[in-house]
Amino acid sequence: MIIAIASGKGGTGKTTVAANLAVALKDKMRVALLDCDVEEPNAHLFLMPEFTEKESVVLPVPSIDSDKCTHCGICTGICAYHALADLGKKILVFEELCHGCGGCSLLCPAGAITEIHKEIGLVERGTAKGMEFVQGTLSIGKVSAPPVIKKVKSRIKSGPAIATAAVIIDSPPGTSCPMINAVSGADYCVLVTEPTPFGLSDLQLAVGVVRELGIPFGVVINRAGMGDDEVEKYLQEQGIPLLMKIPFDRRYAACCARGGLLVEEFPELKQTFNNLWKAIERRVKA
Amino acid sequence: MKEIVVLSGKGGTGKTTVTASLAALAKDAVLTDCDVDAADLYLLLNPKIKDAFKFWGSQKARISEKKCIRCGKCEKACRFDAIEDFKVNPTFCEGCGVCCNICSQKAIDMVDTLSGHWYISDTRYGPMVHARLGISEENSGKLVSLVKKTAREIAEREGYKYIITDGPPGIGCPVISTFSGADEALIVTEPSVSGLHDLERLLKLAENFKVAVKVVINKFDLAEEKSREIEQYCIDKGIEVIGKIPFDEDVVKAISKGIPPVEYSSGPAAEVLRNVAVLSFGESGCRQV
């Protein structure tokens, strides 16, 4: 079962929910945690994995053989990202703009374009507290997170049999391509929010995305009791299941701040996270 | 004209709270929200929209069922897994046009897509340029550039001294666009392992730009030891920490009421926020509230 933990707004507690849910489950079933927040991967700070494998994520960018190039103008004409410019004597490649679509090398009639692999990120795999742990990291200065996210998720196929395991995806915030790549294909999506106008506004956007993707979903309210009750009213109106509430508590905040796990330090929360899993399982199987 | 961008690396550290407070205090600024994915600044600044524009951000492929002979060449060539069973999945199509270019039947068109909207508005504090990216659309970087360009034009035309920008989280495409051309980055962090980790990555990215960096630690008293660690880290890097904002329930109350925190109370958080504004715009550049 693949469960994506996402949110529109950043900093609502996605990683807190993902890491603690994983730890709460690990004695009951096989668990894999995939950190797909590749711009700012944080789950490792809480789970301290030991990595045994490392693989770089590469983007194929064009390399042009000036001797073969006839300056026919096809490659510069078809590149949708304006990553190629003809300077007369040579073709200049703006690697930062290239999406690696392969169109130029495929269509060059002179066979002057080959592709070279540019590293844009890293995927590491190992174990943490007896669980499988996979993490993607976007290289600093690189723009494109989705290829790194896809590479992390490609580990799902080679991982433990999905039916008997819980695969938990820690998604990036937002509602655009990185978040969509992270949550697509999940059996269920948990949207984490907080009871403030910001939390509500961004939750509504995230609900729009998961509805469009057709993924069943429910909501976790973190720091409950801190703001107002508009989020709960919205959930009731929309008939969206409220899966769990984590109350605001300075002790919880302090625990997360130093990289601690709530389910290890506060026994009452271990039960709360177990109940969260039961609620998810019931809904996926229904 | 000076462009100050508020960024954080980690989400939810308080960028919008800080931006709205600076906006409410600056006498002479154009305001922008570059978190086009999950824009929230409007909730505190209450803009009145003057002009709304469509953002045609990208193209998507469309296959004509009539012309398609089901040869499968396009599906094989698409590197974004956006074609399946001779149909385009617009969510994954990146608009590269490879399918359209290789189709022997000319059965594929590239169609302009409405990717979002952007707005020029008035607020009580000055003009505001903001945007909303459509659900599951891409090209957020391009929309950020458009918002920033418009804000610069307004500032130049109408003689504003500052542009204050609420930025997106992360370090990817929209953040890189937000950094571009900025004079100063005000980074809002929080005292946690994640806050520090993400701050480090954002600072490394900032090194690629000609931008002065200053740091604000939000809710510093929720984990004072971590807060000291972050301060020491900044000192070692030669970066100035210009404010340590305490956890203050008045901030949450202000947000719930849709008011910039500095206008809601004169509590401990508001006091630090005011001081950050004075350090940014000078005493004479700040409004009394």
Side-chain angles (χ1 to χ4, degrees):
Chain A
M1 202 186 308
I2 304 171
I3 311 299
I5 316 293
S7 74
K9 177 168 160 47
T12 54
K14 285 179 295 301
T15 304
T16 300
V17 171
N20 283 284
L21 179 62
V23 172
L25 289 179
K26 71 180 171 64
D27 297 330
K28 295 192 191 75
M29 60 199 302
R30 286 209 285 188
V31 178
L33 192 133
L34 273 55
D35 194 342
C36 287
D37 187 0
V38 303
E39 290 180 43
E40 300 288 19
N42 288 146
H44 69 102
L45 299 167
F46 299 85
L47 297 173
M48 301 293 172
E50 277 179 41
F51 291 119
T52 49
E53 282 173 51
K54 224 181 214 188
E55 193 185 347
S56 54
V57 183
V58 294
L59 192 72
V61 301
S63 163
I64 292 153
D65 184 340
S66 294
D67 294 336
K68 287 188 188 164
C69 174
T70 63
H71 297 271
C72 67
I74 289 182
C75 62
T76 50
I78 58 139
C79 180
Y81 312 111
H82 309 292
L84 295 165
D86 193 344
L87 302 183
K89 274 191 181 154
K90 65 177 277 200
I91 307 282
L92 197 62
V93 181
F94 300 101
E95 287 175 359
E96 287 311 319
L97 299 176
C98 178
H99 285 218
C101 72
C104 54
S105 57
L106 191 68
L107 293 164
C108 175
I113 306 181
T114 49
E115 291 186 313
I116 49 171
H117 287 166
K118 277 279 160 200
E119 186 173 299
I120 57 160
L122 190 68
V123 170
E124 292 161 286
R125 180 184 192 168
T127 52
K129 296 180 181 277
M131 300 179 283
E132 180 171 350
F133 188 98
V134 189
Q135 156 179 302
T137 309
L138 180 70
S139 303
I140 288 164
K142 300 293 174 197
V143 293
S144 188
V148 185
I149 295 169
K150 282 183 192 163
K151 189 77 149 196
V152 174
K153 290 182 72 178
S154 72
R155 293 297 194 159
I156 294 177
K157 288 173 211 151
S158 57
I162 301 261
T164 59
V167 178
I168 297 171
I169 291 176
D170 192 2
S171 157
T175 57
S176 62
C177 23
M179 182 267 194
I180 286 159
N181 273 280
V183 306
S184 68
D187 297 302
Y188 197 82
C189 186
V190 176
L191 297 175
V192 185
T193 189
E194 59 178 37
T196 65
F198 296 168
L200 174 60
S201 168
D202 298 346
L203 172 66
Q204 288 167 331
L205 297 173
V207 164
V209 173
V210 289
R211 277 189 179 148
E212 191 168 303
L213 293 173
I215 302 171
F217 66 98
V219 167
V220 166
I221 299 179
N222 192 14
R223 304 184 195 111
M226 195 184 67
D228 50 48
D229 50 11
E230 295 300 317
V231 169
E232 283 193 62
K233 274 190 207 156
Y234 166 74
L235 297 181
Q236 272 172 11
E237 273 164 30
Q238 295 279 319
I240 297 168
L242 173 57
L243 304 167
M244 176 173 84
K245 286 204 255 185
I246 307 174
F248 176 73
D249 187 323
R250 274 177 177 259
R251 295 172 308 151
Y252 299 167
C255 167
C256 295
R258 50 162 207 280
L261 287 160
L262 297 171
V263 291
E264 286 180 353
E265 294 184 26
F266 303 96
E268 74 272 17
L269 288 180
K270 184 157 189 184
Q271 193 52 46
T272 312
F273 275 93
N274 278 325
N275 292 342
L276 169 65
W277 179 251
K278 280 183 203 149
I280 294 170
E281 219 179 12
R282 201 170 55 234
R283 289 188 161 83
V284 172
K285 287 183 177 160
Chain B
M1 191 226 310
K2 188 173 173 186
E3 199 177 319
I4 302 175
V5 295
V6 181
L7 288 163
S8 72
K10 177 167 162 41
T13 58
K15 283 182 295 300
T16 304
T17 302
V18 170
T19 309
S21 296
L22 293 182
L25 293 170
K27 267 185 192 162
D28 201 2
V30 177
L31 316 164
T32 73
D33 192 344
C34 285
D35 188 1
V36 298
D37 233 38
D40 283 338
L41 189 61
Y42 78 97
L43 290 166
L44 299 185
L45 300 188
N46 195 20
K48 302 277 174 287
I49 293 173
K50 281 199 310 186
D51 287 305
F53 305 89
K54 287 180 171 144
F55 172 58
W56 298 94
S58 59
Q59 291 195 315
K60 307 254 183 220
R62 190 175 57 192
I63 301 176
S64 154
E65 234 178 280
K66 262 193 206 152
K67 293 186 191 164
C68 174
I69 55 162
R70 305 184 157 239
C71 67
K73 253 170 90 181
C74 58
E75 185 174 335
K76 229 187 251 167
C78 177
R79 287 191 174 162
F80 307 110
D81 304 321
I83 302 181
E84 216 184 319
D85 293 334
F86 317 104
K87 280 200 188 81
V88 177
N89 179 344
T91 305
F92 293 114
C93 177
E94 294 200 12
C96 70
V98 168
C99 56
C100 165
N101 283 310
I102 60 153
C103 177
S104 58
Q105 303 302 308
K106 298 202 180 341
I108 306 179
D109 286 319
M110 298 305 293
V111 185
D112 284 334
T113 317
L114 181 64
S115 306
H117 290 86
W118 60 283
Y119 312 95
I120 299 177
S121 300
D122 275 332
T123 72
R124 288 166 57 203
Y125 319 103
M128 175 168 171
V129 188
H130 49 128
R132 173 159 279 186
L133 193 68
I135 278 174
S136 70
E137 285 298 335
E138 50 194 296
N139 257 325
S140 49
K142 213 166 143 188
L143 186 52
V144 167
S145 301
L146 187 60
V147 165
K148 287 186 50 142
K149 184 172 150 267
T150 309
R152 265 181 223 140
E153 284 166 6
I154 293 173
E156 268 164 31
R157 192 173 62 231
E158 298 177 22
Y160 283 93
K161 265 197 207 148
Y162 297 97
I163 296 175
I164 306 170
T165 294
D166 194 6
I171 60 158
C173 162
V175 176
I176 288 172
S177 295
T178 303
F179 262 127
S180 159
D183 301 289
E184 186 180 310
L186 187 58
I187 302 182
V188 184
T189 186
E190 61 170 38
S192 68
V193 285
S194 310
L196 177 57
H197 174 265
D198 297 353
L199 171 67
E200 288 174 24
R201 281 171 62 80
L202 186 63
L203 288 174
K204 267 191 211 137
L205 178 65
E207 287 170 10
N208 294 301
F209 298 88
K210 260 172 75 184
V211 59
V213 175
K214 288 173 181 166
V215 167
V216 169
I217 307 175
N218 194 14
K219 303 180 197 159
F220 83 95
D221 51 343
L222 284 185
E224 298 210 32
E225 203 178 314
K226 207 42 144 196
S227 186
R228 279 191 292 274
E229 193 184 328
I230 291 177
E231 251 183 292
Q232 191 56 50
Y233 173 83
C234 290
I235 291 169
D236 294 344
K237 288 249 160 196
I239 292 164
E240 199 185 346
V241 176
I242 62 164
K244 283 164 49 187
I245 306 167
F247 177 76
D248 181 346
E249 295 213 6
D250 278 354
V251 172
V252 185
K253 285 181 195 152
I255 292 168
S256 283
K257 291 208 151 39
I259 303 169
V262 287
E263 286 191 341
Y264 178 78
S265 87
S266 47
E271 198 181 317
V272 179
L273 285 164
R274 158 162 284 282
N275 199 37
V276 169
V278 170
L279 289 170
S280 302
F281 315 118
E283 193 72 61
S284 63
C286 286
R287 225 181 248 131
Q288 293 301 319
V289 289

